[in-house]
Amino acid sequence: QVETNKYTLAEREKFWYKPPSVKTQLSPRFGISYPITDKGIIRFSYGIFQQIPEYSQLYLGDEFKLTSAQGIQGPFGNNDLKPQRTTIYEIGLQQQLSDDYAVDITAFYRDIRDWISSSQPIQTFLAGISYSERINRDFANVRGITCSINKRLSNFFSFGIDYTYQIAEGTNSSPDEEFFAQQNGAEPKRLLAPLSWDQTHTFNANLFVGHESWGISVLSNFSSGQPYTPTLIQGSITGKDVMAGLATNSLRKPSLFRVDVEMY
């Protein structure tokens, strides 16, 4: 700090501030639907979706200076972040079974790149003082299939059922996850793990029975538990090759089931 204070603001701007590069993006979308019968179609779609990072990630903590405290400080924003990119592939079948019944089967895959994460410690000229900033590092993929069958209202009742099987894996579930791991001395995440919002099984069903002056509606939902990382209450860890803690998101919360009924 003593060394840098001898420079004027104009002199410091030459090595303290760097203008961000210009970002360009191309987001093509393509879709096709092909009739296989007079009551059924096969469809395919492909698209690249890009999103500018939240401004909080660009300018996080930009009004703060590093202190003389030892350790990793931050994380700080980075106004040179690239857009986050998701490539989506989807193929599906829609088929009318009769005048009242129809089914829909859709398989999907999403490849996610340049998610916002936290950098490894950036050393300063002061011993033991470093900081972390936001970078484009994390990646993930989501794949699964959705099946549904629907019956339109006839003979005083209608219903709809859909089921989704999905696997969502990535390096980190939030931009801060890597930073907190660094504070505990962990290495950068290299393996895919279930994301915190991963939900393997989802089942929804609705049923309506009614006439002109009365009706009963039932809505139900079942969802398997989302993952979480267990913690060790106590223990003794020795040796450099011993893993501290348990694997990220290695256990699941309990499943949830809900039913709503409305009558009139």
Side-chain angles (χ1 to χ4, degrees), residues 164-178:
T164 299
Y165 175 80
Q166 175 182 274
I167 298 175
E169 297 177 318
T171 47
N172 289 297
S173 297
S174 73
D176 287 318
E177 194 169 321
E178 190 75 26

Side-chain angles (χ1 to χ4, degrees), residues 118-183:
S118 299
S119 71
Q120 287 297 291
I122 301 173
Q123 300 298 325
T124 67
F125 65 90
L126 297 177
I129 299 178
S130 61
Y131 66 95
S132 175
E133 67 176 3
R134 294 298 196 222
I135 60 172
N136 296 98
R137 176 187 179 275
D138 286 338
F139 55 93
N141 65 72
V142 182
R143 57 195 185 275
I145 185 170
T146 297
C147 305
S148 66
I149 180 170
N150 293 278
K151 178 191 179 299
R152 68 180 183 179
L153 183 61
S154 64
N155 299 323
F156 309 115
F157 80 99
S158 66
F159 70 84
I161 299 173
D162 68 79
Y163 166 75
T164 299
Y165 175 80
Q166 175 182 274
I167 298 175
E169 297 177 318
T171 47
N172 289 297
S173 297
S174 73
D176 287 318
E177 194 169 321
E178 190 75 26
F179 177 75
F180 293 142
Q182 294 170 20
Q183 290 184 320

Side-chain angles (χ1 to χ4, degrees), residues 163-229:
Y163 166 75
T164 299
Y165 175 80
Q166 175 182 274
I167 298 175
E169 297 177 318
T171 47
N172 289 297
S173 297
S174 73
D176 287 318
E177 194 169 321
E178 190 75 26
F179 177 75
F180 293 142
Q182 294 170 20
Q183 290 184 320
N184 294 326
E187 292 187 348
K189 188 74 70 61
R190 294 184 174 89
L191 300 177
L192 295 177
L195 296 173
S196 296
W197 58 87
D198 177 38
Q199 198 162 267
T200 307
H201 305 284
T202 304
F203 178 83
N204 300 292
N206 65 82
L207 171 67
F208 173 80
V209 179
H211 196 39
E212 295 179 353
S213 59
W214 63 273
I216 301 175
S217 177
V218 180
L219 301 176
S220 63
N221 169 264
F222 170 83
S223 57
S224 58
Q226 296 176 334
Y228 71 95
T229 303

Side-chain angles (χ1 to χ4, degrees), residues 23 25 50-59 78-85 114-116 134-136:
K23 308 295 188 300
Q25 60 185 47
Q50 302 193 67
Q51 180 182 17
I52 296 175
E54 297 176 349
Y55 289 146
S56 60
Q57 305 298 346
L58 300 177
Y59 304 107
N78 179 3
N79 63 358
D80 203 23
L81 291 173
K82 296 183 293 184
Q84 302 173 103
R85 186 178 77 254
D114 291 333
W115 256 1
I116 308 304
R134 294 298 196 222
I135 60 172
N136 296 98

